[in-house]
Amino acid sequence: MIYRKILYLFIVFTFLGLSSFAIEKASIKYDEDLIDYTKLNSETLLQEADTFFQQYETTKDKKYLSTAMGKYYILNKIHPTEMYPTVQLARTYDIAHQDRLAKEYFSIGYDINKRDPYLNYYHGEFYFSRNDYKRALRYFKIAYNNGYNDFYELNAKIATIYEKFADLKNAQYYYEKAHALNPENSYLKDRALQIKSLDYDKSEYYHSIRE
């Protein structure tokens, strides 16, 4: 009887789109053996999860994030060794400021493939958004060296980090490469030109860039 109640609560939380964090906070304990995840339609779940995640990105309405989180959680249970749902679950926890759970799923991703560029890019994003540029650069460079070298947003963020570190030669290089990959972005070109034209010894650049 108690298992039936627990299973009922789990299903209710799932279809309401609540995350595993919400389940954990409610102190709900359930037996994983009671749920046969393999009988669920993973393709439909993936489409739904991505749709809700995109709706969150468009609207910033947290109800969409919670629903996407719940669906990615189930997908991770269906396919625990697949990278995409693992990283997406980490991303939703990151956005929800549940740092411990985000790190947990990033860590699971490294058990699957520590060189995966998708994993490392969003792990870098986790630290970039928290101004931890040293760690962000570490993961960004792994992504860069494993297939994301032509991803203009990654080049732009690496350039920004090098600029923060006052490594202006590298900053200029990555801004120029980012602009070459996205010529319509005038900011990237302007940034590269501004760095190139600076008289570093006479400027307050090294002080102001870290503010």
Side-chain angles (χ1 to χ4, degrees), residues 79-132:
H79 302 294
T81 61
E82 287 192 4
M83 185 65 74
Y84 182 75
T86 302
V87 175
Q88 287 300 99
L89 189 53
R91 290 181 67 193
T92 58
Y93 283 129
D94 175 9
I95 295 167
H97 303 292
Q98 304 298 337
D99 291 10
R100 180 181 64 80
L101 288 167
K103 289 178 180 179
E104 178 181 330
Y105 282 95
F106 281 127
S107 179
I108 291 170
Y110 286 104
D111 290 337
I112 299 170
N113 180 6
K114 65 182 180 180
R115 296 291 178 184
D116 184 84
Y118 191 73
L119 166 67
N120 281 283
Y121 177 76
Y122 283 107
H123 199 186
E125 280 275 272
F126 175 89
Y127 288 109
F128 187 85
S129 66
R130 289 160 177 77
N131 300 327
D132 188 341

Side-chain angles (χ1 to χ4, degrees), residues 104-176:
E104 178 181 330
Y105 282 95
F106 281 127
S107 179
I108 291 170
Y110 286 104
D111 290 337
I112 299 170
N113 180 6
K114 65 182 180 180
R115 296 291 178 184
D116 184 84
Y118 191 73
L119 166 67
N120 281 283
Y121 177 76
Y122 283 107
H123 199 186
E125 280 275 272
F126 175 89
Y127 288 109
F128 187 85
S129 66
R130 289 160 177 77
N131 300 327
D132 188 341
Y133 298 117
K134 184 176 181 180
R135 285 191 176 94
L137 182 60
R138 173 188 173 188
Y139 295 112
F140 281 159
K141 290 303 289 287
I142 294 172
Y144 184 92
N145 291 328
N146 286 276
Y148 274 26
N149 55 304
D150 287 336
F151 185 21
Y152 98 85
E153 290 183 347
L154 177 57
N155 280 272
K157 286 173 182 174
I158 291 175
T160 299
I161 292 173
Y162 276 126
E163 191 176 4
K164 293 287 185 183
F165 291 164
D167 184 344
L168 304 180
K169 182 177 180 180
N170 273 318
Q172 180 184 337
Y173 171 82
Y174 285 101
Y175 275 128
E176 288 176 345

Side-chain angles (χ1 to χ4, degrees), residues 5-30 66-71 73-74:
K5 290 182 178 179
I6 292 171
L7 179 59
Y8 172 76
L9 288 171
F10 175 79
I11 292 171
V12 169
F13 276 138
T14 297
F15 282 93
L16 285 175
L18 297 179
S19 67
S20 60
F21 176 77
I23 295 170
E24 179 184 89
K25 289 293 285 184
S27 300
I28 295 174
K29 306 297 181 182
Y30 58 90
S66 294
T67 304
M69 186 185 293
K71 292 180 183 296
Y73 177 81
I74 296 171

